[in-house]
Amino acid sequence: MGYITLPRRLFLWCMALIYMVAFVSLYLQIPGLYGNDGLLPARWQLRYSGKALWEQLLSSPTLLWLAPRLGLDTQTAMELLCLLGAALSLAATVLESLRDSLVFLFLWIMYLSMYQVGQVFLYFQWDSLLLETGFLCVLIAPVTSLRGWRAGREHDPVTFWLVRWLLFRLMFASGIVKLTSRCPTWWGLTALTYHYETQCIPTPLAWFAHQLPVWWHKLSVVATFAIEIAAPFLFLSPLRRLRLGAFYMQVVLQVLIILSGNYNFFNLLTLTMCLSLLDDEHIYFWLRKKYTPNPNQGSSLWWAGFVVEIAVWALIGFGTVTWFDLQINWDKWTVSSRTVFTFHQFNQFLKTVTFPSVWLGVLSLTWELVSSMFRCACVEGFFKRFLGTVQWTVFGAAAVSMFAISLVPFTFIEYDSNTSVWPGVRQGYDAVSRYQLVNSYGLFRRMTGVGGRPEVVIEGSMDKVTWTEIEFMYKPGNLSAPPSVITPHQPRLDWQMWFAALGTHTHSPWFTSLMYRLLQGKTDVIELIQSDVSQYPFHQQPPTYLRAHRYKYWFTKTLADGSYPQRWWKRVYIEEFYPTVYLGDTFLESMLSQHGLKDKSLPRRVSEAAVPQVVKWVRSQVRGVSAPLLLWSLLFCSVTLCLLRGLQLEITLKTKPTAAKAEPKCTAPPHHPDAKEANSNDKDGLGQRQEEEREEVDAEEDERRGEEEESEREENDVRDELEEEEDGEEEESVD
């Protein structure tokens, strides 16, 4: 593994950006989802039972327990946490000095606080993935907040390796569950013939992807299995080119998912995790900058590794062709495919590879630990070597602990392997499970909507005769409206409407609350449906009656002459989803009582203090603003500021004083710990590259020091001239 300074910095920068997106996206939906007049008021989750504050924090770790002590109600406290999280992550995006362990700890605590009261609207796998990756950032990021101390490099390969292991667990489990679920579409390789039109919120490109021939969809499923099941083992390979190949395979998959579906920040987060497969050399290749080549390149060991890489790729290709019976029809220019193995054979394969994959992770982690320990031993000076060893011990123990407890959720994919996990590890996992440090994953387990995409359409009426459909901003409804492009925003109500359509309304208790709030005409809930309230059909007066029907939707197809139809969707009525209700209706009241949706306590009176008023003012400024537009504006501004700062730094480095260029071999100031580390590693033949640029702070200090020295020299020259003139005048007076 090469040096990973640049991938680690890029990873932390991307994580700060994703945190900002997550906090802002959630902030815009808090009043409608969790406010006092929202669908599931968060204050119901914080029942004060007379326990001490510490006991409450242990039972449900969220900072919202502190809201009453600060004079805030739960909704205001949630908005404040999101605003603080967004501001802190935005600052960390722009300023590298804020991308440190302490800042990421605060971000993780704030998002965990929201997650604890988020209920069904925050129980998505990407929320758990953000919390787990965010906690790893606490271990990966340096501690630069303490003035005069800089985190060394020794722990970086160890803690950064945990991201690779998380990426392996995510992708491998996502591929495995598709087959262990026995979903006939995945086994028949026809899943993608339904996926594009049945996913939660498709993009316009999903319509075009849906028009592709069936043989192409089946070949795409085969490629998905190869990328998600075979390629993840390359993440843990010691051979660099295998990891790079796996990296680009993952990038292609994630980019295609982003183009065809709106999956908020999930795919961006996965791409960020893929940075753990890179090293400095490849980042320099992207930047078209010179990099000192590996001295071992061209040796017999290098050629042996090259032969192994060719063999691995050939094995993956041969296995894919064999297991899925790929055959090319040269006459029709098509590729036929089918699954040739049985569920029993696949289950035996899973039993065979689960524990070896664990031991592969053990070997990979051991290699990182030994390499890091050797690097610590090469540092000059007893005191620095001692501190490096202590640091390696702490971060190594943290990495081993995180790896150990992650084995419990990882082995959920295979029952026998899960039961074989050491009891001590299972106890450790149970002790920290409430903090979402490690989680189990498995995306797209089963393909839904095989017989048509189910959609719930809500209708309102004033007289129970004329009914008007209530159209959502993002989910399919209007047959002529094109699919939306809203990444990286996640409209959580639209997502839950997709899940609700898969079952009955009793499986989604929040739907009764939605009908109740719409009958009441609550603006906060209406803004979840239409941010521009004037587009809501009952914005002047709430409807007297509401009902909901279930339809089945399909993408339209291209016409016989190859032209495009006027509508994107076609639909068929299926059944009644929710009966006609009105305020005071017996059925509605019974459902509210059954699901515990009646107000259990009166909301706290809004305080007139400064903080609540500021939070209220910020809310008034963003009310009615399009969430995707706001997010993309923040992303554009933050990226632009980072580019400007990078350009400024580049100009500063190019305009160094001539004296600073007199010693081109000096890569860091003598007092800087990196200098001795680089020299010691070069002496031991580790081939450490020379640093090509200094830290911005060091450059600014050098410039400031040079200016001060120059000003002192000028003052001394002026003082000498004045003294000479005074001496000359005294001599003349004596004469």
Side-chain angles (χ1 to χ4, degrees):
M1 182 70 180
Y3 292 96
I4 57 170
T5 302
L6 297 180
R8 182 177 66 90
R9 291 179 179 177
L10 185 57
F11 170 80
L12 294 176
W13 180 80
C14 291
M15 284 301 301
L17 210 61
I18 291 172
Y19 261 126
M20 181 190 68
V21 168
F23 277 116
V24 174
S25 176
L26 182 58
Y27 166 76
L28 296 174
Q29 304 173 74
I30 285 177
L33 295 179
Y34 306 115
N36 297 325
D37 295 326
L39 300 180
L40 298 176
R43 72 176 191 274
W44 295 352
Q45 301 297 311
L46 301 173
R47 296 189 178 94
Y48 298 93
S49 57
K51 295 182 180 179
L53 176 61
W54 181 249
E55 294 180 358
Q56 291 174 335
L57 289 173
L58 288 178
S59 61
S60 178
T62 172
L63 295 177
L64 296 175
W65 290 114
L66 302 175
R69 299 172 182 266
L70 301 176
L72 305 174
D73 66 338
T74 304
Q75 176 182 342
T76 304
M78 293 183 71
E79 294 185 14
L80 179 61
L81 281 180
C82 280
L83 289 175
L84 292 177
L88 188 58
S89 54
L90 177 60
T93 302
V94 178
L95 301 175
E96 185 177 5
S97 59
L98 290 179
R99 277 172 244 149
D100 73 329
S101 181
L102 192 59
V103 171
F104 279 107
L105 178 61
F106 288 152
L107 293 174
W108 178 78
I109 291 175
M110 286 187 282
Y111 202 79
L112 179 64
S113 299
M114 307 298 292
Y115 179 87
Q116 292 296 328
V117 299
Q119 305 168 73
V120 68
F121 293 108
L122 266 172
Y123 290 169
F124 293 101
Q125 291 196 51
W126 36 83
D127 293 310
S128 300
L129 183 63
L130 177 58
L131 285 172
E132 184 170 351
T133 313
F135 184 78
L136 294 183
C137 289
V138 179
L139 302 177
I140 295 169
V143 185
T144 57
S145 298
L146 302 178
R147 186 175 181 179
W149 188 86
R150 291 179 179 274
R153 297 184 180 183
E154 292 80 6
H155 77 279
D156 294 346
V158 178
T159 53
F160 202 35
W161 178 90
L162 291 172
V163 180
R164 267 197 285 164
W165 174 246
L166 173 57
L167 180 64
F168 170 81
R169 289 164 41 215
L170 171 68
M171 301 310 301
F172 185 69
S174 297
I176 291 297
V177 298
K178 292 177 175 60
L179 295 175
T180 56
S181 66
R182 297 192 179 188
C183 177
T185 62
W186 286 115
W187 279 91
L189 307 181
T190 59
L192 291 185
T193 60
Y194 308 102
H195 165 72
Y196 295 111
E197 69 179 359
T198 61
Q199 60 183 321
C200 181
I201 305 178
T203 66
L205 285 179
W207 186 91
F208 294 95
H210 183 73
Q211 314 302 322
L212 295 172
V214 175
W215 70 267
W216 179 263
H217 288 312
K218 297 179 72 174
L219 186 62
S220 300
V221 173
V222 173
T224 300
F225 283 136
I227 294 174
E228 292 186 346
I229 297 179
F233 286 97
L234 305 182
F235 299 167
L236 307 177
S237 170
L239 300 178
R240 176 175 177 269
R241 279 190 296 267
L242 288 180
R243 294 194 304 273
L244 292 179
F247 167 80
Y248 283 107
M249 293 174 71
Q250 300 301 322
V251 168
V252 169
L253 176 63
Q254 299 305 321
V255 169
L256 290 176
I257 295 176
I258 291 174
L259 294 176
S260 61
N262 292 285
Y263 292 95
N264 50 81
F265 57 80
F266 167 65
N267 301 107
L268 300 177
L269 180 56
T270 306
L271 287 173
T272 300
M273 293 164 57
C274 289
L275 294 173
S276 61
L277 304 175
L278 303 180
D279 53 20
D280 286 359
E281 180 178 354
H282 203 68
I283 300 295
Y284 270 73
F285 170 76
W286 286 353
L287 299 175
R288 296 294 188 270
K289 289 186 177 182
K290 184 179 179 181
Y291 187 88
T292 304
N294 189 341
N296 293 326
Q297 191 169 0
S299 64
S300 58
L301 185 61
W302 182 87
W303 282 106
F306 181 75
V307 172
V308 172
E309 293 163 2
I310 296 297
V312 169
W313 291 119
L315 180 62
I316 293 177
F318 175 77
T320 303
V321 172
T322 303
W323 295 335
F324 296 100
D325 192 23
L326 299 182
Q327 297 181 6
I328 301 177
N329 188 331
W330 297 105
D331 295 332
K332 298 181 180 180
W333 288 96
T334 60
V335 178
S336 63
S337 57
R338 65 185 181 90
T339 306
V340 298
F341 53 89
T342 64
F343 178 79
H344 175 72
Q345 291 173 329
F346 178 75
N347 198 33
Q348 289 300 121
F349 162 79
L350 187 57
K351 290 178 181 291
T352 304
V353 303
T354 301
F355 251 105
S357 64
V358 171
W359 286 109
L360 181 62
V362 171
L363 291 175
S364 182
L365 176 58
T366 302
W367 172 259
E368 296 292 345
L369 288 170
V370 173
S371 300
S372 181
M373 180 179 64
F374 182 73
R375 194 168 300 174
C376 291
C378 293
V379 176
E380 292 184 352
F382 172 79
F383 185 69
K384 291 184 178 296
R385 191 181 302 116
F386 174 76
L387 290 180
T389 303
V390 173
Q391 178 178 271
W392 171 85
T393 303
V394 172
F395 286 102
V400 171
S401 301
M402 291 293 295
F403 172 77
I405 62 176
S406 70
L407 297 181
V408 177
F410 171 66
T411 54
F412 284 161
I413 59 178
E414 206 280 307
Y415 176 78
D416 292 338
S417 300
N418 184 256
T419 56
S420 301
V421 175
W422 185 44
V425 173
R426 193 179 301 277
Q427 292 176 2
Y429 168 76
D430 294 337
V432 300
S433 59
R434 73 187 66 178
Y435 303 108
Q436 303 298 311
L437 299 186
V438 291
N439 303 278
S440 61
Y441 303 98
L443 303 169
F444 302 106
R445 184 183 301 270
R446 299 187 63 90
M447 192 55 58
T448 59
V450 174
R453 172 197 182 94
E455 278 292 344
V456 173
V457 176
I458 302 175
E459 299 176 345
S461 175
M462 305 300 296
D463 53 10
K464 211 176 183 179
V465 176
T466 303
W467 294 88
T468 303
E469 292 187 4
I470 297 177
E471 185 178 351
F472 284 64
M473 284 184 291
Y474 309 118
K475 86 176 191 68
N478 187 344
L479 302 181
S480 302
S484 306
V485 179
I486 58 174
T487 300
H489 174 58
Q490 182 188 3
R492 297 182 181 268
L493 176 59
D494 294 65
W495 267 87
Q496 287 299 332
M497 288 290 291
W498 181 78
F499 284 107
L502 301 178
T504 64
H505 68 83
T506 56
H507 294 159
S508 303
W510 57 266
F511 191 84
T512 296
S513 180
L514 174 63
M515 302 290 280
Y516 180 58
R517 295 304 189 189
L518 292 180
L519 287 172
Q520 291 179 318
K522 298 299 183 180
T523 304
D524 292 338
V525 175
I526 293 174
E527 288 182 343
L528 295 176
I529 299 175
Q530 290 288 341
S531 58
D532 183 1
V533 179
S534 62
Q535 299 297 319
Y536 181 69
F538 301 99
H539 64 278
Q540 294 182 345
Q541 182 180 357
T544 305
Y545 303 95
L546 280 179
R547 68 184 183 185
H549 289 149
R550 194 198 320 264
Y551 290 82
K552 282 195 174 180
Y553 278 63
W554 294 269
F555 271 143
T556 56
K557 298 185 179 296
T558 54
L559 302 179
D561 58 357
S563 60
Y564 300 129
Q566 295 181 350
R567 292 184 173 183
W568 294 82
W569 299 96
K570 59 181 180 180
R571 74 180 185 184
V572 172
Y573 175 81
I574 301 299
E575 59 185 352
E576 180 185 73
F577 182 79
Y578 204 91
T580 302
V581 293
Y582 53 91
L583 289 178
D585 180 66
T586 305
F587 176 79
L588 179 62
E589 293 293 328
S590 65
M591 293 303 297
L592 290 173
S593 300
Q594 177 181 341
H595 297 307
L597 298 173
K598 286 285 190 177
D599 281 341
K600 303 176 179 62
S601 60
L602 295 177
R604 292 176 56 87
R605 186 177 61 86
V606 179
S607 174
E608 298 296 331
V611 173
Q613 293 303 313
V614 170
V615 173
K616 183 179 179 180
W617 177 83
V618 174
R619 172 63 59 185
S620 65
Q621 299 303 306
V622 300
R623 187 175 293 276
V625 177
S626 170
L629 178 61
L630 178 60
L631 286 174
W632 278 109
S633 300
L634 290 174
L635 288 173
F636 176 79
C637 293
S638 57
V639 172
T640 302
L641 287 175
C642 291
L643 291 176
L644 291 177
R645 286 180 60 84
L647 182 61
Q648 181 183 9
L649 176 60
E650 189 73 18
I651 295 175
T652 302
L653 294 174
K654 288 182 178 179
T655 57
K656 287 180 181 180
T658 307
K661 298 181 180 180
E663 299 179 359
K665 294 184 179 181
C666 182
T667 61
H671 63 277
H672 198 283
D674 288 352
K676 292 186 178 180
E677 180 185 358
N679 294 335
S680 62
N681 289 338
D682 286 342
K683 290 179 181 179
D684 288 285
L686 296 179
Q688 178 174 354
R689 64 172 177 82
Q690 295 183 351
E691 295 287 339
E692 295 188 1
E693 60 185 21
R694 297 180 180 178
E695 297 287 351
E696 180 181 5
V697 177
D698 294 334
E700 293 175 354
E701 290 179 355
D702 292 340
E703 290 183 5
R704 180 176 54 80
R705 191 181 298 109
E707 292 174 357
E708 291 177 354
E709 292 176 355
E710 185 176 356
S711 62
E712 290 178 0
R713 287 195 299 268
E714 292 177 354
E715 291 177 359
N716 292 333
D717 294 340
V718 172
R719 190 181 298 107
D720 293 339
E721 291 178 358
L722 292 175
E723 290 177 356
E724 291 178 357
E725 292 178 359
E726 291 177 355
D727 293 338
E729 292 175 356
E730 291 178 355
E731 291 176 358
E732 290 178 357
S733 61
V734 171
D735 294 336

